[in-house]
């Protein structure tokens, strides 16, 4: 709980007009509060008397409140920042998901081969509306510049499930922007949500996240075939790492599981429950983390 002691309180929970120095000075300023944060507030007033002295009240009863998620306007600010870091678009053909062997054994034996959605953790921006609220299966799609293929290394596990891009990204899917963050590093992450039209995930995102045009956005695109016999074109942003949350179950039979050829990196390099760098000027907005 973060304590705040102020002379005047208004527009709770988004704005405080606060006393900056002890009474009887009357300096005021606006405070930006972090999203999803509990605060306690006490108020004290001072009235100047004819003789010049101040009549100072006792501190009021403490009021407790919790701020909410990023509003749509805040996510739009974050989206605008992310667009500046996306880079050019590169072609890709598969989404992939790296995990430990135990994970895939569990999926086969206990889930009938179905990778079921799991609750999104609290990694990234503290105020992202999907944190600890939206379920999905995470995929990657970034490729290497020189090969156009997924990287050989992964911190998530030595086994990789690959699925044709068109099974997750097509005209029956809605695409949403959910987050932009970094972890005290030079590179940045963009979190996107793919939800089938009319699904529970789509309903959740529609009023909470900015929707992106599938064929025209800087992060992840689907371009329909222009001529008969052509294949759709799929592209991803080159200068950010995309984390793509698909909101429905995915069966292992829709793709293949293979051993990656590179070295398995340390789990410490993953983004699981990673905290956003609050000092980064590239990916932070004025409302807080």
């Amino acid at each position: 709980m973060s304590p705040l002691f102020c002379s005047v309180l208004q527009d709770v929970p988004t704005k405080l007009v606060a006393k900056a120095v002890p009474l009887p000075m009357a300096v005021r300023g606006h405070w930006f509060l972090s999203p999803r944060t509990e605060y306690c507030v006490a108020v004290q007033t001072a009235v100047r008397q004819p003789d010049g002295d101040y009549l100072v009240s006792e501190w009021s009863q403490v009021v407790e409140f919790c701020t909410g998620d990023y509003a749509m306007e805040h996510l739009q600010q974050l989206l605008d920042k992310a667009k500046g870091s996306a880079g050019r678009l590169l072609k890709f053909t598969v989404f992939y998901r790296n995990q430990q062997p135990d994970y895939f054994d569990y999926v086969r034996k206990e889930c009938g081969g179905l990778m079921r959605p799991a609750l999104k953790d609290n990694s990234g921006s503290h105020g992202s509306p999907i944190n600890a609220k939206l379920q999905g299966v995470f995929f990657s799609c970034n490729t290497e510049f020189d090969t156009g293929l997924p990287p050989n290394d992964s911190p998530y596990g030595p086994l990789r499930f690959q699925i044709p891009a068109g099974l997750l990204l097509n005209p029956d899917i809605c695409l949403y922007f959910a987050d932009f963050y970094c972890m005290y590093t030079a590179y940045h992450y963009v979190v996107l949500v793919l939800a089938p039209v009319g699904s529970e995930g789509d309903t959740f995102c529609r009023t909470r996240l900015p929707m992106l045009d599938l064929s025209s956005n800087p992060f992840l695109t689907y371009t329909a075939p222009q001529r008969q016999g052509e294949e759709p074109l799929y592209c991803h942003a080159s200068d950010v790492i995309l984390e793509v949350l698909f909101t429905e179950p995915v069966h292992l039979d829709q793709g293949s599981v293979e051993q990656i050829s590179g070295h398995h990196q340390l789990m410490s390099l993953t983004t699981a429950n990673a905290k956003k760098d609050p000092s980064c000027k590239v990916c932070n907005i004025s409302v807080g983390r």
Side-chain angles (χ1 to χ4, degrees), residues 186-265:
Y187 48 88
H188 283 78
Y189 296 84
V190 170
V191 181
L192 303 173
V193 178
L194 292 176
V197 176
S199 66
E200 185 176 338
D202 182 31
T203 301
F204 176 92
C205 295
R206 195 167 291 270
T207 58
R208 294 174 174 88
L209 304 177
M211 181 183 285
L212 302 177
D213 188 329
L214 274 183
S215 62
S216 178
N217 73 82
F219 311 114
L220 185 67
T221 60
Y222 162 89
T223 303
Q226 303 300 306
R227 301 180 183 84
Q228 188 174 3
E230 286 186 348
E231 294 292 327
L233 178 65
Y234 309 95
C235 293
H236 70 82
S238 60
D239 291 348
V240 292
I241 300 175
L242 297 182
E243 297 182 310
V244 182
L245 187 69
F246 189 72
T247 61
E248 297 296 306
V250 177
H251 204 285
L252 293 180
D253 288 346
Q254 293 179 279
S256 61
V257 178
E258 299 176 357
Q259 181 95 18
I260 59 175
S261 60
H263 296 291
H264 171 53
Q265 300 172 351

Side-chain angles (χ1 to χ4, degrees), residues 75-96:
L75 286 164
Q76 188 61 51
Q77 293 177 37
L78 206 58
L79 171 58
D80 291 340
K81 280 181 167 283
K83 288 179 178 179
S85 298
R88 65 191 180 96
L89 291 172
L90 300 177
K91 297 178 184 178
F92 76 101
T93 59
V94 296
F95 287 98
Y96 56 93

Side-chain angles (χ1 to χ4, degrees), residues 102-113:
D102 288 350
Y103 170 81
F104 290 110
D105 288 342
Y106 177 82
V107 168
R108 292 188 184 97
K109 295 175 183 178
E110 304 296 331
C111 305

